Amino acid sequence: RNEKLSDDELFTLLPGPDEEYVAHAATTPAKIVCFGDSITKRGYPAELAKRLHVEVLNAGVGGNTTVGALRRLQADVLDKKPDIVVIFFGTNDSRLDAPKVHVPVDRYVANLRQIITRCSALPARVVLCTLPPLNPTPYFQRHAPAPFEAVGGLAKVLETYRTAVLTLGRE
Protein backbone atom coordinates (compact mmCIF):
# COMPACT_ATOMS: atom_id res chain seq x y z
CA ARG A 1 0.00 0.00 0.00
CA ASN A 2 1.21 3.49 -0.74
CA GLU A 3 -0.69 5.34 1.97
CA LYS A 4 0.85 5.94 5.36
CA LEU A 5 -0.02 3.28 7.94
CA SER A 6 -0.78 4.01 11.55
CA ASP A 7 1.35 2.25 14.16
CA ASP A 8 -1.59 -0.06 14.97
CA GLU A 9 -2.07 -0.97 11.30
CA LEU A 10 1.65 -1.55 10.85
CA PHE A 11 1.77 -3.80 13.92
CA THR A 12 -1.03 -6.02 12.55
CA LEU A 13 1.01 -6.56 9.35
CA LEU A 14 4.13 -7.73 11.17
CA PRO A 15 4.73 -11.48 11.26
CA GLY A 16 4.34 -13.12 14.64
CA PRO A 17 7.16 -15.06 16.30
CA ASP A 18 7.85 -18.53 14.95
CA GLU A 19 7.39 -21.65 17.11
CA GLU A 20 11.12 -22.16 17.73
CA TYR A 21 11.51 -18.59 18.98
CA VAL A 22 8.47 -18.92 21.28
CA ALA A 23 9.79 -22.18 22.75
CA HIS A 24 13.23 -20.65 23.34
CA ALA A 25 11.74 -17.50 24.91
CA ALA A 26 9.57 -19.55 27.26
CA THR A 27 12.56 -21.40 28.74
CA THR A 28 15.41 -18.89 28.57
CA PRO A 29 15.63 -15.32 29.87
CA ALA A 30 16.19 -12.92 27.01
CA LYS A 31 19.55 -11.30 26.39
CA ILE A 32 19.37 -7.88 24.78
CA VAL A 33 22.20 -5.93 23.20
CA CYS A 34 21.62 -2.20 22.78
CA PHE A 35 23.81 -1.20 19.84
CA GLY A 36 24.29 2.50 19.21
CA ASP A 37 26.10 5.77 19.75
CA SER A 38 26.40 8.04 22.81
CA ILE A 39 22.62 8.13 23.27
CA THR A 40 22.81 4.39 23.91
CA LYS A 41 26.04 4.61 25.91
CA ARG A 42 24.65 7.20 28.31
CA GLY A 43 21.01 6.31 28.23
CA TYR A 44 18.44 3.66 28.25
CA PRO A 45 20.02 0.14 28.49
CA ALA A 46 20.27 0.10 32.30
CA GLU A 47 16.68 1.31 32.60
CA LEU A 48 15.56 -1.33 30.11
CA ALA A 49 17.26 -4.06 32.18
CA LYS A 50 15.65 -2.79 35.35
CA ARG A 51 12.16 -2.64 33.88
CA LEU A 52 12.27 -5.91 31.94
CA HIS A 53 14.35 -7.94 34.45
CA VAL A 54 16.57 -9.33 31.69
CA GLU A 55 20.23 -9.10 30.77
CA VAL A 56 20.88 -5.96 28.74
CA LEU A 57 24.35 -5.29 27.36
CA ASN A 58 25.25 -1.70 26.51
CA ALA A 59 27.12 -1.58 23.20
CA GLY A 60 26.94 2.19 22.81
CA VAL A 61 30.00 4.14 21.65
CA GLY A 62 30.04 7.93 21.69
CA GLY A 63 30.48 9.57 18.30
CA ASN A 64 29.79 6.32 16.44
CA THR A 65 28.06 6.14 13.06
CA THR A 66 26.75 3.14 11.16
CA VAL A 67 30.15 2.95 9.45
CA GLY A 68 31.87 2.39 12.81
CA ALA A 69 29.03 0.12 13.86
CA LEU A 70 29.75 -2.27 11.01
CA ARG A 71 33.40 -2.49 12.11
CA ARG A 72 32.48 -3.48 15.65
CA LEU A 73 29.29 -5.48 14.97
CA GLN A 74 30.92 -8.90 15.31
CA ALA A 75 32.67 -8.30 18.65
CA ASP A 76 30.11 -6.01 20.28
CA VAL A 77 26.92 -7.74 19.16
CA LEU A 78 27.12 -11.00 17.24
CA ASP A 79 29.68 -12.68 19.52
CA LYS A 80 27.35 -11.98 22.48
CA LYS A 81 24.60 -14.11 20.84
CA PRO A 82 21.71 -11.88 21.88
CA ASP A 83 18.05 -12.74 21.50
CA ILE A 84 17.20 -9.12 20.75
CA VAL A 85 19.28 -6.30 19.29
CA VAL A 86 18.14 -2.70 19.72
CA ILE A 87 19.74 -0.56 17.01
CA PHE A 88 19.95 3.18 17.62
CA PHE A 89 22.15 5.15 15.20
CA GLY A 90 21.73 8.26 13.13
CA THR A 91 22.50 11.34 15.20
CA ASN A 92 26.17 11.26 14.16
CA ASP A 93 25.44 9.89 10.69
CA SER A 94 23.35 13.02 10.02
CA ARG A 95 26.20 15.44 10.90
CA LEU A 96 26.29 17.59 7.78
CA ASP A 97 28.80 19.87 9.52
CA ALA A 98 31.44 17.11 9.66
CA PRO A 99 32.17 15.65 6.22
CA LYS A 100 34.48 12.96 7.65
CA VAL A 101 31.71 11.83 10.02
CA HIS A 102 28.59 12.36 7.91
CA VAL A 103 27.00 9.27 6.38
CA PRO A 104 24.56 10.13 3.56
CA VAL A 105 21.09 8.73 4.11
CA ASP A 106 21.32 6.12 1.33
CA ARG A 107 24.54 4.71 2.80
CA TYR A 108 23.04 4.94 6.32
CA VAL A 109 20.14 2.75 5.16
CA ALA A 110 22.50 0.29 3.43
CA ASN A 111 24.59 0.05 6.61
CA LEU A 112 21.51 -0.50 8.78
CA ARG A 113 20.24 -3.12 6.33
CA GLN A 114 23.56 -5.00 6.65
CA ILE A 115 23.43 -4.80 10.47
CA ILE A 116 19.83 -6.08 10.48
CA THR A 117 20.67 -8.94 8.10
CA ARG A 118 23.63 -10.08 10.17
CA CYS A 119 21.73 -9.84 13.47
CA SER A 120 18.71 -11.65 12.05
CA ALA A 121 20.98 -14.51 10.97
CA LEU A 122 21.84 -15.33 14.62
CA PRO A 123 18.75 -15.41 14.83
CA ALA A 124 18.00 -12.33 16.89
CA ARG A 125 14.95 -10.11 16.87
CA VAL A 126 15.82 -6.58 15.77
CA VAL A 127 14.34 -3.35 17.12
CA LEU A 128 15.06 -0.19 15.15
CA CYS A 129 15.01 3.19 16.88
CA THR A 130 14.45 6.50 15.16
CA LEU A 131 16.45 9.62 15.87
CA PRO A 132 15.18 11.73 18.73
CA PRO A 133 14.38 15.41 18.31
CA LEU A 134 17.35 17.62 19.11
CA ASN A 135 17.23 21.05 20.68
CA PRO A 136 19.02 23.25 18.12
CA THR A 137 20.26 25.80 20.67
CA PRO A 138 22.72 23.52 22.51
CA TYR A 139 23.34 21.47 19.35
CA PHE A 140 24.58 24.51 17.45
CA GLN A 141 26.84 25.53 20.32
CA ARG A 142 28.94 22.50 19.30
CA HIS A 143 28.13 22.18 15.60
CA ALA A 144 28.11 24.63 12.69
CA PRO A 145 24.54 25.51 11.64
CA ALA A 146 25.25 26.62 8.05
CA PRO A 147 25.30 23.13 6.43
CA PHE A 148 21.95 22.32 8.04
CA GLU A 149 20.39 25.67 7.15
CA ALA A 150 21.45 25.16 3.52
CA VAL A 151 19.15 22.13 3.26
CA GLY A 152 16.21 23.36 5.31
CA GLY A 153 17.37 23.07 8.90
CA LEU A 154 18.27 20.51 11.54
CA ALA A 155 14.69 19.28 11.99
CA LYS A 156 14.39 18.52 8.27
CA VAL A 157 17.68 16.61 8.22
CA LEU A 158 16.70 14.54 11.27
CA GLU A 159 13.28 13.83 9.75
CA THR A 160 14.95 12.51 6.59
CA TYR A 161 16.92 9.99 8.64
CA ARG A 162 13.87 9.15 10.78
CA THR A 163 11.78 8.48 7.69
CA ALA A 164 14.54 6.26 6.29
CA VAL A 165 14.52 4.12 9.45
CA LEU A 166 10.72 3.83 9.37
CA THR A 167 10.78 2.83 5.71
CA LEU A 168 13.47 0.24 6.39
CA GLY A 169 11.45 -1.12 9.32
CA ARG A 170 8.39 -1.51 7.12
CA GLU A 171 10.46 -3.46 4.59
Side-chain angles (χ1 to χ4, degrees):
R1 298 180 352 178
N2 288 333
E3 72 263 20
K4 185 172 178 156
L5 300 175
S6 71
D7 289 341
D8 290 336
E9 289 173 315
L10 181 61
F11 183 75
T12 62
L13 296 175
L14 296 174
D18 58 39
E19 290 178 25
E20 183 181 337
Y21 181 82
V22 171
H24 173 76
T27 60
T28 310
K31 180 195 295 184
I32 300 171
V33 172
C34 295
F35 189 45
D37 54 26
S38 63
I39 294 171
T40 299
K41 183 177 176 70
R42 287 184 266 167
Y44 65 91
E47 185 65 25
L48 193 60
K50 186 171 84 176
R51 289 177 181 261
L52 297 180
H53 307 289
V54 296
E55 182 181 5
V56 179
L57 304 175
N58 187 335
V61 172
N64 219 207
T65 66
T66 54
V67 173
L70 284 170
R71 286 194 292 265
R72 62 188 185 88
L73 178 63
Q74 185 67 48
D76 287 1
V77 180
L78 303 178
D79 289 350
K80 310 294 187 213
K81 304 219 181 303
D83 300 294
I84 300 167
V85 180
V86 179
I87 301 170
F88 195 160
F89 289 96
T91 305
N92 297 310
D93 296 80
S94 66
R95 293 245 346 253
L96 299 180
D97 65 314
K100 290 183 179 181
V101 175
H102 177 242
V103 178
V105 74
D106 58 334
R107 186 165 175 213
Y108 169 71
V109 169
N111 292 345
L112 286 175
R113 185 175 276 118
Q114 187 175 345
I115 293 167
I116 292 165
T117 299
R118 291 181 64 195
C119 290
S120 296
L122 285 175
R125 298 290 183 174
V126 174
V127 177
L128 293 174
C129 299
T130 58
L131 284 72
L134 296 176
N135 183 336
T137 303
Y139 187 81
F140 289 131
Q141 289 176 354
R142 297 183 334 183
H143 307 292
F148 296 92
E149 291 167 357
V151 296
L154 176 62
K156 183 176 179 183
V157 171
L158 296 177
E159 188 57 33
T160 301
Y161 282 78
R162 247 183 240 115
T163 298
V165 172
L166 292 171
T167 300
L168 182 58
R170 286 183 184 101
E171 288 176 14

